Amino acid sequence: MEPALVLENISKQYKSVQAALGVSLELRPGEIFGLIGPDGAGKSTLIHIAAGLLDPDQGKARLFGVDVSKDPEGIKPLLGILPQGLGLSLAQELSIEENINYFAEINQVPQKERDEMKEKLLTVTQLAPFRDRAAKNLSGGMKQKLGLCCTLIHSPKMVFLDEPTTGVDPISRRDIWYLINKIIKERELTIFLTTSYMDEAERCHRMALMHQGQVLALGDLEQLIAQTEGKLLEIHAQDLQGTLKGLKDAPGVRVMYPMGDKLNALCTGNGTGASDLAAFAAGRNITVERIEEGRPTLEDVFLSKVLKESGGVNQKALEELFGGGEGARSSSEDKVIVVQNLYKYFGKFAAVHDVTFHVKRGEIFGFLGPNGAGKTTTIKMLCGLFPPSSGSGTIVGLDLMREQMKIKKSIGYMSQKFSLYRDLTVGENIELYGGIYGVSPVELKRRKSLILQIADLEGKDRAITDSLPMGIKQRLALGCAIIHKPEVIFLDEPTSGVDPIARRLFWDIIFFLSRQLQVTILVTTHYMDEAEQCDRLSLMHLGKLIALGSPQGLKSEIHKEIGAMLEILVDAPFEALEVVSRAYPFCNIFGRTLHLYTPDVKRTQDTIGSLLGEKGIQVKEVRTRLMPFEDVFVYFCEKAEKEGKKE
């Protein structure tokens, strides 16, 4: 069978940056091929070359036998492209239906075929009830589903998806993946995608791991996991950060990092086992609940091959920034954020409905919810950017209704979409924010130097901000947000689209600010492993607060309601879900496994193999596991939707 796409020895250089170096890949017809790697690895460059949008410096790309460079126009009917960024391919003023019609017209789809395909896509994506809504008024998840509709309307044979779910909540991500797999099942379609979500990459048939323009590993999930460099140990403890600090230098530990509600340690060779690490912990008086050998995930493979231990957080620079100088603490109260019965109306629409919570000094408070839940609106009210319609609250003792200007001087805000001026240099951005927050020229010079150290940009203050890798850019944005030494920092999806390495470094800074400097942090995120790093969190949906508590407390609540979780490793997860969900309603896909919740674990373990075996689906492993927070998120949101329909 002829390959769908062949890349032969592709190289591409931008000035001094080698985006691709001798990359060779083959994609088979009908497969989902994933490209994963850190920021600046060359993933988008490779997709643009494969799609004929960019000429390589060296090498050839052939799409269904057509030389892409020689005949870029000839391949257009064969492919569809969804670019990186929420809704960037859409006409924002047009409605959902008008956007689909527009793309159908561009691709010269006959009227009858257009109408049939449009209705099918609107039904599958659940966008049919909103066909008259303008694209600019859609949530991130809805924009991406509409983008997929527009990409697929002309029935392409090859689809390029550049980080299609970045910035999208877990429920919408799940819907998009159902759509992708439904399309693959119904048509002979090949998908080439990039993603920063490792559990998503596990759903691909094959994957390539890129770093610095080169392919480090290639194969299916099992082949890549076999290439994990070292043994994986899982460490369960109450104080993850304290345990991490005490154990990361243990003999044989290459690298250790938080992963949800546990620590993962990659150990060199086969010498270091669970008992060795437990003995080391006991010798240091470090309390751990248990240490056990784990099964590596794709994220562990990724980190084992790419992650090199660095100096981590520049603690000295952060301590100097927040110590001495201008900007003293204005409040000594324990509850730094207090919100009571907060409402926000836009016309008759209640974007925020009766929200009440508080956040303590030095606490990391997670603020979660699907796209359009009301999180950003709530944060903007707390920052003084939107006046509340009703309700009350205080930030560092200042009244939310009457002292908005004073509040702004005591908080730092890193927005979801806009934090830095991309066309300014690094130094100009820092100076601009220093001026906005009223930092004196002498003090600004000192703080600028410290922020450059925090962002790992020493000597690069003249670099154009837009040229920076995403992870560095986000650390710079955080530095600008704390230049005035705020008591409270609001971080709105600060790591969206950032690779696992950069996300890990960013959260090291968050923990140091919280634990060592007692800065209060309210953070929104769509990465559920990050949500588990929070001390407490709230979950919003449809403008209302539907859950509030610690990560473990919310998990315990679900356990009482629907039982324990079984993790089922199968060879065909989407097909398995169709079978299992008929007998067990609380069942979801996570990577290549099913997460099934049952009050009777033993009985379910005994019967699940035969249930799936009758349909020709192979069960490789069934085991009890602690629930990941993505399941918590989905459960509470679906429960709220069901209760809302009853009202």
Side-chain angles (χ1 to χ4, degrees):
M1 183 182 294
E2 181 186 37
L5 175 67
V6 178
L7 301 178
E8 294 180 359
N9 199 32
I10 297 292
S11 294
K12 182 68 178 180
Q13 187 166 344
Y14 304 102
K15 295 182 179 179
S16 61
V17 178
Q18 189 72 53
L21 181 61
V23 176
S24 295
L25 297 172
E26 282 193 9
L27 271 66
R28 304 160 186 163
E31 78 170 340
I32 305 174
F33 189 94
L35 200 58
I36 55 178
D39 298 320
K43 305 185 300 296
S44 294
T45 294
L46 211 58
I47 275 192
H48 291 163
I49 289 172
L53 301 176
L54 195 64
D55 283 329
D57 297 335
Q58 180 182 318
K60 288 185 179 181
R62 295 197 309 276
L63 186 67
F64 297 106
V66 179
D67 189 312
V68 173
S69 296
K70 290 183 179 179
D71 191 11
E73 291 297 315
I75 65 170
K76 281 185 178 179
L78 302 175
L79 60 87
I81 303 174
L82 185 65
Q84 186 176 340
L86 295 178
L88 287 186
S89 62
L90 304 175
Q92 298 297 317
E93 299 299 325
L94 298 184
S95 68
I96 287 176
E97 186 163 19
E98 288 169 340
N99 263 288
I100 297 174
N101 289 339
Y102 173 64
F103 277 83
E105 193 70 32
I106 289 174
N107 289 285
Q108 300 178 341
V109 181
Q111 184 72 44
K112 183 179 179 182
E113 183 182 331
R114 173 201 304 182
D115 292 343
E116 290 176 358
M117 181 60 67
K118 178 173 62 179
E119 292 307 315
K120 185 180 294 186
L121 290 169
L122 287 172
T123 300
V124 170
T125 56
Q126 301 176 16
L127 291 176
F130 314 101
R131 63 174 70 221
D132 295 327
R133 184 178 295 181
K136 66 181 180 181
N137 295 327
L138 301 177
S139 68
M142 292 174 77
K143 283 181 179 178
Q144 289 304 82
K145 286 193 276 188
L146 174 56
L148 271 174
C149 290
C150 295
T151 302
L152 298 170
I153 189 63
H154 66 291
S155 302
K157 294 176 65 177
M158 166 71 76
V159 175
F160 296 96
L161 306 176
D162 198 0
E163 300 202 8
T165 58
T166 293
V168 174
D169 67 79
I171 294 176
S172 296
R173 286 204 294 126
R174 186 183 62 176
D175 290 345
I176 288 170
W177 270 93
Y178 285 156
L179 173 60
I180 289 172
N181 279 270
K182 188 176 181 65
I183 292 163
I184 283 282
K185 192 174 180 180
E186 292 179 352
R187 311 185 207 172
E188 188 67 23
L189 182 68
T190 307
I191 294 180
F192 191 10
L193 65 86
T194 70
T195 180
S196 59
Y197 294 95
M198 295 298 109
D199 65 298
E200 285 188 355
E202 291 188 11
R203 299 171 189 172
C204 299
H205 298 113
R206 290 189 304 135
M207 294 143 276
L209 171 59
M210 283 192 74
H211 183 50
Q212 296 179 345
Q214 295 180 287
V215 173
L216 299 184
L218 174 66
D220 62 25
L221 181 62
E222 298 304 323
Q223 290 170 331
L224 289 181
I225 285 177
Q227 298 180 48
T228 306
E229 297 180 3
K231 179 191 295 182
L232 176 70
L233 297 179
E234 296 180 349
I235 303 138
H236 298 265
Q238 288 292 325
D239 180 11
L240 289 186
Q241 287 301 310
T243 305
L244 173 63
K245 186 176 180 180
L247 294 184
K248 68 178 182 178
D249 296 324
V253 173
R254 266 189 66 215
V255 64
M256 187 179 292
Y257 46 90
M259 186 61 68
D261 59 352
K262 64 183 187 301
L263 296 174
N264 281 6
L266 287 168
C267 303
T268 53
N270 297 313
T272 303
S275 58
D276 301 311
L277 196 56
F280 181 86
R284 293 283 187 93
N285 293 319
I286 299 170
T287 303
V288 297
E289 295 174 357
R290 67 183 186 280
I291 301 176
E292 57 193 3
E293 191 166 336
R295 184 177 66 212
T297 65
L298 195 56
E299 185 150 344
D300 298 311
V301 180
F302 178 102
L303 291 172
S304 78
K305 288 188 172 294
V306 176
L307 184 60
K308 307 297 180 187
E309 280 294 357
S310 64
V313 181
N314 193 320
Q315 298 182 1
K316 183 179 178 182
L318 281 167
E319 286 174 338
E320 280 190 43
L321 179 64
F322 276 82
E326 305 165 352
R329 177 166 286 174
S330 62
S331 169
S332 59
E333 295 183 20
D334 182 46
K335 293 181 180 179
V336 179
I337 302 175
V338 179
V339 175
Q340 291 283 342
N341 310 115
L342 205 63
Y343 285 81
K344 180 61 182 178
Y345 287 94
F346 295 100
K348 294 182 179 180
F349 174 67
V352 176
H353 185 277
D354 198 20
V355 169
T356 297
F357 65 89
H358 71 268
V359 185
K360 298 177 181 178
R361 181 172 301 284
E363 190 173 28
I364 301 174
F365 187 83
F367 207 50
L368 311 182
N371 297 110
K375 307 185 300 297
T376 300
T377 300
T378 303
I379 289 176
K380 287 183 176 179
M381 284 192 286
L382 297 179
C383 293
L385 300 176
F386 282 169
S389 300
S390 64
S392 62
T394 58
I395 308 290
V396 293
L398 300 170
D399 189 270
L400 197 61
M401 295 291 195
R402 295 182 287 105
E403 298 177 285
Q404 293 175 349
M405 292 308 297
K406 290 182 180 179
I407 287 174
K408 289 177 182 178
K409 295 178 181 179
S410 299
I411 64 172
Y413 176 48
M414 186 172 159
S415 73
Q416 180 179 349
K417 295 180 180 178
F418 175 81
S419 287
L420 299 171
Y421 289 87
R422 297 181 178 182
D423 295 334
L424 296 183
T425 66
V426 169
E428 287 169 343
N429 265 296
I430 297 173
E431 290 164 6
L432 174 65
Y433 276 86
I436 290 171
Y437 285 116
V439 180
S440 69
V442 174
E443 185 67 13
L444 178 56
K445 184 178 180 180
R446 184 181 74 90
R447 296 189 192 184
K448 178 181 176 181
S449 173
L450 295 172
I451 289 171
L452 290 172
Q453 293 174 46
I454 292 165
D456 198 21
L457 286 168
E458 288 180 278
K460 299 179 181 178
D461 59 319
R462 294 186 178 181
I464 297 297
T465 301
D466 201 35
S467 68
L468 302 175
M470 179 66 80
I472 298 291
K473 199 180 293 181
Q474 294 300 79
R475 271 180 275 165
L476 173 61
L478 178 60
C480 290
I482 62 176
I483 194 169
H484 57 304
K485 304 195 303 186
E487 297 179 60
V488 181
I489 306 173
F490 294 92
L491 304 174
D492 198 1
E493 295 185 31
T495 57
S496 180
V498 176
D499 69 76
I501 298 171
R503 288 202 292 121
R504 177 177 173 272
L505 292 172
F506 193 93
W507 271 81
D508 284 347
I509 296 174
I510 290 177
F511 274 111
F512 188 80
L513 288 169
S514 164
R515 301 299 188 257
Q516 303 301 319
L517 303 178
Q518 285 294 290
V519 178
T520 304
I521 297 170
L522 188 147
V523 59
T524 74
T525 180
H526 287 321
Y527 291 97
M528 295 297 101
D529 62 308
E530 291 184 353
E532 295 205 56
Q533 307 305 308
C534 299
D535 300 309
R536 285 188 309 130
L537 42 82
S538 64
L539 182 56
M540 280 191 79
H541 191 34
L542 304 174
K544 299 179 181 179
L545 218 57
I546 59 173
L548 179 65
S550 68
Q552 189 54 50
L554 295 178
K555 287 183 180 183
S556 298
E557 187 177 334
I558 292 177
H559 187 278
K560 290 177 184 177
E561 294 185 15
I562 61 175
M565 188 191 94
L566 284 177
E567 182 184 70
I568 307 168
L569 180 62
V570 292
D571 58 350
F574 282 88
E575 289 81 352
L577 180 65
E578 290 184 15
V579 176
V580 174
S581 59
R582 296 175 194 142
Y584 300 93
F586 298 105
C587 186
N588 291 309
I589 289 179
F590 192 86
R592 285 203 175 182
T593 64
L594 296 186
H595 287 179
L596 184 156
Y597 289 85
T598 173
D600 193 341
V601 171
K602 177 83 169 55
R603 182 180 178 185
T604 305
Q605 280 180 311
D606 293 340
T607 60
I608 199 69
S610 58
L611 178 66
L612 290 170
E614 291 173 0
K615 300 296 182 179
I617 299 170
Q618 180 186 358
V619 177
K620 298 180 179 180
E621 184 180 10
V622 180
R623 59 176 180 169
T624 56
R625 297 286 285 171
L626 296 174
M627 71 181 74
F629 206 80
E630 181 164 324
D631 289 359
V632 177
F633 183 104
V634 172
Y635 175 78
F636 277 112
C637 287
E638 290 184 342
K639 181 181 178 182
E641 288 177 1
K642 289 176 184 177
E643 292 175 351
K645 290 177 181 178
K646 293 177 183 178
E647 294 178 358

